[in-house]
Amino acid sequence: MIATTAAPEPTFAQSMLAGKQADPQPQDEVREGPWEDYSPDAWWIVYVKPGSLETYAIRNKDFGTGNVFFGLGGQGVRIWVKGNHKSNPAVAYRKTMTLYRFLCQSKVYAKDQFIASTSNGRIIQSWQRGGKFQAWVPDSLEEAVADHVCRSGTDR
């Protein structure tokens, strides 16, 4: 008798690369707890970099509500985005954390802080500044994040 095994299910990132649309999924490398982790601090993938398996995630609690602030451009959202770069041998870092500000009605964003670290957690690059607002580009990471945080909490 010959034993057979079923082909493994494609990962969320592989599905996105194949052009399949999917709902955000927990980022398995950074989540803690079960796959169905809906806790506020669970990280969920919202963007896969085209042509790679690099993923970007936001916390569950930031979907639809985010951390609202009021600025010169009106109501906005301040949010951390976690990048997973483990599959990219071209970069020295394996994880990035970027603090963004989005002015949802104006469709602009700014990057205020950035941290890049190795697989063992050593920080190899970081900066902090009040970023200049710029328009988000269609089909970009920033547009994908804004799509998830700028809508109301009931629109998921």
Side-chain angles (χ1 to χ4, degrees), residues 37-52:
D37 186 357
Y38 294 102
S39 68
D41 290 326
W43 290 90
W44 286 71
I45 296 171
V46 295
Y47 184 77
V48 178
K49 185 176 178 180
S52 78

PDB file of all heavy atoms in Angstrom, residues 37-52:
ATOM      1  N   ASP A  37      -7.257  33.720  16.509  1.00  0.00           N
ATOM      2  CA  ASP A  37      -7.013  34.673  17.584  1.00  0.00           C
ATOM      3  C   ASP A  37      -7.641  36.015  17.241  1.00  0.00           C
ATOM      4  O   ASP A  37      -7.147  36.738  16.392  1.00  0.00           O
ATOM      5  CB  ASP A  37      -5.509  34.836  17.813  1.00  0.00           C
ATOM      6  CG  ASP A  37      -5.189  35.698  19.019  1.00  0.00           C
ATOM      7  OD1 ASP A  37      -6.130  36.218  19.658  1.00  0.00           O
ATOM      8  OD2 ASP A  37      -4.006  35.843  19.326  1.00  0.00           O
ATOM      9  N   TYR A  38      -8.748  36.310  17.887  1.00  0.00           N
ATOM     10  CA  TYR A  38      -9.435  37.581  17.644  1.00  0.00           C
ATOM     11  C   TYR A  38      -9.204  38.569  18.783  1.00  0.00           C
ATOM     12  O   TYR A  38      -9.927  39.538  18.917  1.00  0.00           O
ATOM     13  CB  TYR A  38     -10.938  37.337  17.455  1.00  0.00           C
ATOM     14  CG  TYR A  38     -11.226  36.557  16.201  1.00  0.00           C
ATOM     15  CD1 TYR A  38     -11.513  35.204  16.262  1.00  0.00           C
ATOM     16  CD2 TYR A  38     -11.190  37.178  14.963  1.00  0.00           C
ATOM     17  CE1 TYR A  38     -11.760  34.487  15.103  1.00  0.00           C
ATOM     18  CE2 TYR A  38     -11.434  36.459  13.802  1.00  0.00           C
ATOM     19  CZ  TYR A  38     -11.727  35.121  13.882  1.00  0.00           C
ATOM     20  OH  TYR A  38     -11.967  34.415  12.742  1.00  0.00           O
ATOM     21  N   SER A  39      -8.192  38.323  19.594  1.00  0.00           N
ATOM     22  CA  SER A  39      -7.916  39.240  20.683  1.00  0.00           C
ATOM     23  C   SER A  39      -7.482  40.588  20.108  1.00  0.00           C
ATOM     24  O   SER A  39      -6.998  40.670  18.977  1.00  0.00           O
ATOM     25  CB  SER A  39      -6.814  38.677  21.592  1.00  0.00           C
ATOM     26  OG  SER A  39      -5.584  38.654  20.902  1.00  0.00           O
ATOM     27  N   PRO A  40      -7.650  41.658  20.853  1.00  0.00           N
ATOM     28  CA  PRO A  40      -7.312  42.992  20.337  1.00  0.00           C
ATOM     29  C   PRO A  40      -5.860  43.143  19.898  1.00  0.00           C
ATOM     30  O   PRO A  40      -5.568  43.908  18.993  1.00  0.00           O
ATOM     31  CB  PRO A  40      -7.616  43.919  21.519  1.00  0.00           C
ATOM     32  CG  PRO A  40      -8.589  43.173  22.349  1.00  0.00           C
ATOM     33  CD  PRO A  40      -8.248  41.718  22.179  1.00  0.00           C
ATOM     34  N   ASP A  41      -4.951  42.402  20.517  1.00  0.00           N
ATOM     35  CA  ASP A  41      -3.539  42.555  20.196  1.00  0.00           C
ATOM     36  C   ASP A  41      -3.021  41.586  19.132  1.00  0.00           C
ATOM     37  O   ASP A  41      -1.833  41.586  18.825  1.00  0.00           O
ATOM     38  CB  ASP A  41      -2.693  42.431  21.462  1.00  0.00           C
ATOM     39  CG  ASP A  41      -2.882  43.629  22.380  1.00  0.00           C
ATOM     40  OD1 ASP A  41      -3.082  44.748  21.859  1.00  0.00           O
ATOM     41  OD2 ASP A  41      -2.846  43.453  23.605  1.00  0.00           O
ATOM     42  N   ALA A  42      -3.880  40.757  18.559  1.00  0.00           N
ATOM     43  CA  ALA A  42      -3.455  39.847  17.496  1.00  0.00           C
ATOM     44  C   ALA A  42      -3.108  40.663  16.250  1.00  0.00           C
ATOM     45  O   ALA A  42      -3.776  41.640  15.922  1.00  0.00           O
ATOM     46  CB  ALA A  42      -4.574  38.850  17.172  1.00  0.00           C
ATOM     47  N   TRP A  43      -2.041  40.270  15.558  1.00  0.00           N
ATOM     48  CA  TRP A  43      -1.627  40.940  14.320  1.00  0.00           C
ATOM     49  C   TRP A  43      -2.251  40.221  13.131  1.00  0.00           C
ATOM     50  O   TRP A  43      -2.160  39.000  13.015  1.00  0.00           O
ATOM     51  CB  TRP A  43      -0.106  40.922  14.188  1.00  0.00           C
ATOM     52  CG  TRP A  43       0.576  41.799  15.182  1.00  0.00           C
ATOM     53  CD1 TRP A  43       1.002  41.439  16.432  1.00  0.00           C
ATOM     54  CD2 TRP A  43       0.910  43.169  15.025  1.00  0.00           C
ATOM     55  NE1 TRP A  43       1.584  42.517  17.052  1.00  0.00           N
ATOM     56  CE2 TRP A  43       1.545  43.589  16.212  1.00  0.00           C
ATOM     57  CE3 TRP A  43       0.736  44.091  13.993  1.00  0.00           C
ATOM     58  CZ2 TRP A  43       2.002  44.887  16.395  1.00  0.00           C
ATOM     59  CZ3 TRP A  43       1.205  45.381  14.176  1.00  0.00           C
ATOM     60  CH2 TRP A  43       1.818  45.769  15.358  1.00  0.00           C
ATOM     61  N   TRP A  44      -2.870  40.975  12.210  1.00  0.00           N
ATOM     62  CA  TRP A  44      -3.539  40.412  11.046  1.00  0.00           C
ATOM     63  C   TRP A  44      -2.923  40.979   9.775  1.00  0.00           C
ATOM     64  O   TRP A  44      -2.759  42.189   9.632  1.00  0.00           O
ATOM     65  CB  TRP A  44      -5.030  40.725  11.084  1.00  0.00           C
ATOM     66  CG  TRP A  44      -5.734  39.890  12.103  1.00  0.00           C
ATOM     67  CD1 TRP A  44      -5.634  39.994  13.468  1.00  0.00           C
ATOM     68  CD2 TRP A  44      -6.614  38.806  11.850  1.00  0.00           C
ATOM     69  NE1 TRP A  44      -6.412  39.038  14.067  1.00  0.00           N
ATOM     70  CE2 TRP A  44      -7.028  38.303  13.098  1.00  0.00           C
ATOM     71  CE3 TRP A  44      -7.105  38.218  10.691  1.00  0.00           C
ATOM     72  CZ2 TRP A  44      -7.899  37.231  13.213  1.00  0.00           C
ATOM     73  CZ3 TRP A  44      -7.982  37.151  10.810  1.00  0.00           C
ATOM     74  CH2 TRP A  44      -8.361  36.668  12.057  1.00  0.00           C
ATOM     75  N   ILE A  45      -2.595  40.103   8.830  1.00  0.00           N
ATOM     76  CA  ILE A  45      -2.002  40.521   7.561  1.00  0.00           C
ATOM     77  C   ILE A  45      -3.028  41.301   6.743  1.00  0.00           C
ATOM     78  O   ILE A  45      -4.150  40.852   6.560  1.00  0.00           O
ATOM     79  CB  ILE A  45      -1.513  39.305   6.755  1.00  0.00           C
ATOM     80  CG1 ILE A  45      -0.384  38.597   7.494  1.00  0.00           C
ATOM     81  CG2 ILE A  45      -1.057  39.720   5.353  1.00  0.00           C
ATOM     82  CD1 ILE A  45       0.018  37.270   6.873  1.00  0.00           C
ATOM     83  N   VAL A  46      -2.608  42.463   6.244  1.00  0.00           N
ATOM     84  CA  VAL A  46      -3.486  43.268   5.390  1.00  0.00           C
ATOM     85  C   VAL A  46      -2.869  43.530   4.022  1.00  0.00           C
ATOM     86  O   VAL A  46      -3.536  44.041   3.128  1.00  0.00           O
ATOM     87  CB  VAL A  46      -3.866  44.614   6.050  1.00  0.00           C
ATOM     88  CG1 VAL A  46      -4.704  44.372   7.304  1.00  0.00           C
ATOM     89  CG2 VAL A  46      -2.634  45.446   6.368  1.00  0.00           C
ATOM     90  N   TYR A  47      -1.576  43.177   3.844  1.00  0.00           N
ATOM     91  CA  TYR A  47      -0.914  43.460   2.573  1.00  0.00           C
ATOM     92  C   TYR A  47       0.236  42.479   2.360  1.00  0.00           C
ATOM     93  O   TYR A  47       0.975  42.177   3.292  1.00  0.00           O
ATOM     94  CB  TYR A  47      -0.372  44.890   2.572  1.00  0.00           C
ATOM     95  CG  TYR A  47       0.252  45.343   1.275  1.00  0.00           C
ATOM     96  CD1 TYR A  47      -0.543  45.713   0.198  1.00  0.00           C
ATOM     97  CD2 TYR A  47       1.627  45.386   1.124  1.00  0.00           C
ATOM     98  CE1 TYR A  47       0.022  46.128  -1.001  1.00  0.00           C
ATOM     99  CE2 TYR A  47       2.203  45.809  -0.072  1.00  0.00           C
ATOM    100  CZ  TYR A  47       1.397  46.175  -1.129  1.00  0.00           C
ATOM    101  OH  TYR A  47       1.953  46.586  -2.308  1.00  0.00           O
ATOM    102  N   VAL A  48       0.342  41.994   1.142  1.00  0.00           N
ATOM    103  CA  VAL A  48       1.472  41.153   0.740  1.00  0.00           C
ATOM    104  C   VAL A  48       2.185  41.896  -0.379  1.00  0.00           C
ATOM    105  O   VAL A  48       1.569  42.269  -1.378  1.00  0.00           O
ATOM    106  CB  VAL A  48       1.003  39.767   0.243  1.00  0.00           C
ATOM    107  CG1 VAL A  48       2.194  38.938  -0.214  1.00  0.00           C
ATOM    108  CG2 VAL A  48       0.229  39.045   1.329  1.00  0.00           C
ATOM    109  N   LYS A  49       3.482  42.125  -0.199  1.00  0.00           N
ATOM    110  CA  LYS A  49       4.248  42.851  -1.205  1.00  0.00           C
ATOM    111  C   LYS A  49       4.256  42.057  -2.510  1.00  0.00           C
ATOM    112  O   LYS A  49       4.608  40.875  -2.513  1.00  0.00           O
ATOM    113  CB  LYS A  49       5.671  43.067  -0.704  1.00  0.00           C
ATOM    114  CG  LYS A  49       6.519  43.924  -1.612  1.00  0.00           C
ATOM    115  CD  LYS A  49       7.874  44.167  -0.985  1.00  0.00           C
ATOM    116  CE  LYS A  49       8.745  44.986  -1.908  1.00  0.00           C
ATOM    117  NZ  LYS A  49      10.059  45.221  -1.291  1.00  0.00           N
ATOM    118  N   PRO A  50       3.856  42.684  -3.623  1.00  0.00           N
ATOM    119  CA  PRO A  50       3.825  41.967  -4.903  1.00  0.00           C
ATOM    120  C   PRO A  50       5.187  41.370  -5.256  1.00  0.00           C
ATOM    121  O   PRO A  50       6.219  41.997  -5.073  1.00  0.00           O
ATOM    122  CB  PRO A  50       3.433  43.050  -5.910  1.00  0.00           C
ATOM    123  CG  PRO A  50       2.709  44.063  -5.102  1.00  0.00           C
ATOM    124  CD  PRO A  50       3.381  44.060  -3.758  1.00  0.00           C
ATOM    125  N   GLY A  51       5.163  40.121  -5.731  1.00  0.00           N
ATOM    126  CA  GLY A  51       6.390  39.451  -6.147  1.00  0.00           C
ATOM    127  C   GLY A  51       7.220  38.882  -5.021  1.00  0.00           C
ATOM    128  O   GLY A  51       8.343  38.445  -5.233  1.00  0.00           O
ATOM    129  N   SER A  52       6.705  38.892  -3.801  1.00  0.00           N
ATOM    130  CA  SER A  52       7.455  38.346  -2.668  1.00  0.00           C
ATOM    131  C   SER A  52       6.471  37.743  -1.678  1.00  0.00           C
ATOM    132  O   SER A  52       5.268  37.808  -1.865  1.00  0.00           O
ATOM    133  CB  SER A  52       8.274  39.445  -1.980  1.00  0.00           C
ATOM    134  OG  SER A  52       7.439  40.238  -1.169  1.00  0.00           O
TER     135      SER A  52
END
